Amino acid sequence: MKPTESELEILQVLWAKGPSTVRQVNEQLSQGREVGYTTTLKLMQIMHEKGLLSRTEEGRYHIYQALIGEEETQQHLLDRFVDTAFRGSAMKLVMQALGTSKATPQELAELQRLIHNLNPENN
Amino acid sequence: MKPTESELEILQVLWAKGPSTVRQVNEQLSQGREVGYTTTLKLMQIMHEKGLLSRTEEGRYHIYQALIGEEETQQHLLDRFVDTAFRGSAMKLVMQALGTSKATPQELAELQRLIHNLNPENN
DNA sequence: TTTTTGCTACGAAACTTTTCGTAATAAATG
DNA sequence: CATTTATTACGAAAAGTTTCGTAGCAAAAA
């Protein structure tokens, strides 16, 4: 439930592409950096042992699938991150994240609505 | 410039309390979890070697001080975190962070202003 | 059938991070 | 002065993470 950085990379691929073989995942990862096939294989095997991935045999292949959800995992990592990097202040994190983000007007408007609804004075 | 998790804990103490001895830092850390004095000492020595901390001898003590700024480091960690955990989407991170934060109406109002100013249509 | 190809299994090495035991030293105490 | 106490220095062990070489095996190709 607390994936390492490499494990997270693999989860990202599986979340984006859905159930995949080791080769498919490895090819995605190879786009960004050099990484051996057996390295990816080993990691995915370990993740399977840990219960992070499920595995079904499809003929000669193994198809892997993420067993933990993207949002759920992100929330968990985010909570941790706010604690360790921002001493628990989510507001500080939000402000800094907004400061450097290139958000579209649409996204900003959406945020405004969200914040409006969060404020109990408006309900 | 890329502190580990333990190093970050130490930085947090130094940012919050200012220049401190190993003992002072260790006592702070011990509030949260059990950690040996020599463990903290070793880490701070390593951080000094890496250039993360400065050290001045004050009589028999060594006074350590953070050499990297809090905001600067947070920004750096945040950028990394957005990439690895949120595939680069700062907006997604902000939304999720807001969802679970217990922000005060004052903070929310402040955010509204910030967002308002970010929107180029309003300038 | 023989050879080649592609996938999985396994184990170990390399590297990073964290923890701690021991010793040396200097200050404070008796 | 002798003893206790508090600090730093050093090195190595422990633990966690990442990488990869080699072997075995089954399917596909020749």
Side-chain angles (χ1 to χ4, degrees):
Chain A
M1 189 52 171
K2 186 193 55 98
T4 69
E5 201 139 308
S6 293
E7 289 175 342
L8 193 55
E9 278 189 320
I10 289 172
L11 285 171
Q12 299 283 13
V13 174
L14 291 174
W15 285 329
K17 304 278 181 177
S20 309
T21 64
V22 173
R23 176 145 311 276
Q24 290 171 322
V25 170
N26 182 250
E27 251 153 37
Q28 273 299 307
L29 295 183
S30 298
Q31 309 267 331
R33 65 190 179 92
E34 194 165 336
V35 52
Y37 173 86
T38 51
T39 301
T40 303
L41 169 66
K42 183 66 168 185
L43 269 171
M44 290 175 73
Q45 285 172 343
I46 290 172
M47 291 170 77
H48 178 236
E49 280 169 27
K50 287 190 190 174
L52 258 47
L53 305 183
S54 72
R55 183 171 77 182
T56 61
E57 307 204 4
E58 192 81 23
R60 100 193 259 193
Y61 302 102
H62 287 177
I63 310 285
Y64 289 86
Q65 187 169 4
L67 279 181
I68 58 180
E70 180 171 14
E71 306 255 323
E72 170 197 4
T73 305
Q74 284 173 338
Q75 188 64 56
H76 183 246
L77 292 172
L78 180 56
D79 290 346
R80 254 179 91 76
F81 184 69
V82 168
D83 280 347
T84 60
F86 285 83
R87 288 191 232 166
S89 167
M91 281 304 289
K92 203 145 181 301
L93 173 141
V94 167
M95 301 247 184
Q96 275 207 37
L98 280 179
T100 53
S101 82
K102 307 172 271 311
T104 65
Q106 285 75 26
E107 290 172 324
L108 290 176
E110 192 181 340
L111 251 190
Q112 293 280 18
R113 278 196 300 279
L114 172 63
I115 294 170
H116 186 83
N117 290 333
L118 280 176
N119 196 330
E121 290 181 8
N122 301 318
N123 296 313
Chain B
M1 190 52 170
K2 185 195 56 102
T4 68
E5 200 137 310
S6 293
E7 289 175 344
L8 193 55
E9 277 190 320
I10 289 171
L11 285 171
Q12 298 285 13
V13 174
L14 291 174
W15 285 329
K17 305 276 181 176
S20 310
T21 64
V22 173
R23 176 144 310 277
Q24 290 171 323
V25 170
N26 182 250
E27 250 153 37
Q28 274 299 307
L29 295 183
S30 297
Q31 310 267 330
R33 64 190 179 93
E34 193 165 337
V35 52
Y37 173 85
T38 52
T39 300
T40 304
L41 169 66
K42 183 65 169 186
L43 269 171
M44 290 176 73
Q45 285 173 343
I46 291 171
M47 291 170 77
H48 178 236
E49 281 169 27
K50 287 190 191 173
L52 259 48
L53 304 183
S54 72
R55 182 171 76 182
T56 61
E57 307 204 5
E58 193 82 22
R60 103 193 258 194
Y61 303 101
H62 287 177
I63 310 285
Y64 289 86
Q65 187 169 5
L67 280 182
I68 58 179
E70 180 170 15
E71 306 254 323
E72 169 197 3
T73 305
Q74 284 173 338
Q75 188 63 57
H76 183 246
L77 292 172
L78 180 55
D79 290 345
R80 253 180 92 75
F81 184 69
V82 168
D83 279 348
T84 61
F86 285 83
R87 289 192 230 167
S89 168
M91 281 305 289
K92 202 145 181 300
L93 174 141
V94 167
M95 301 249 184
Q96 274 206 38
L98 279 179
T100 53
S101 82
K102 308 173 271 309
T104 67
Q106 285 75 26
E107 290 172 324
L108 290 176
E110 193 180 341
L111 251 190
Q112 293 279 18
R113 280 194 300 278
L114 172 63
I115 294 170
H116 186 82
N117 290 333
L118 280 176
N119 196 331
E121 290 180 9
N122 301 318
N123 295 312

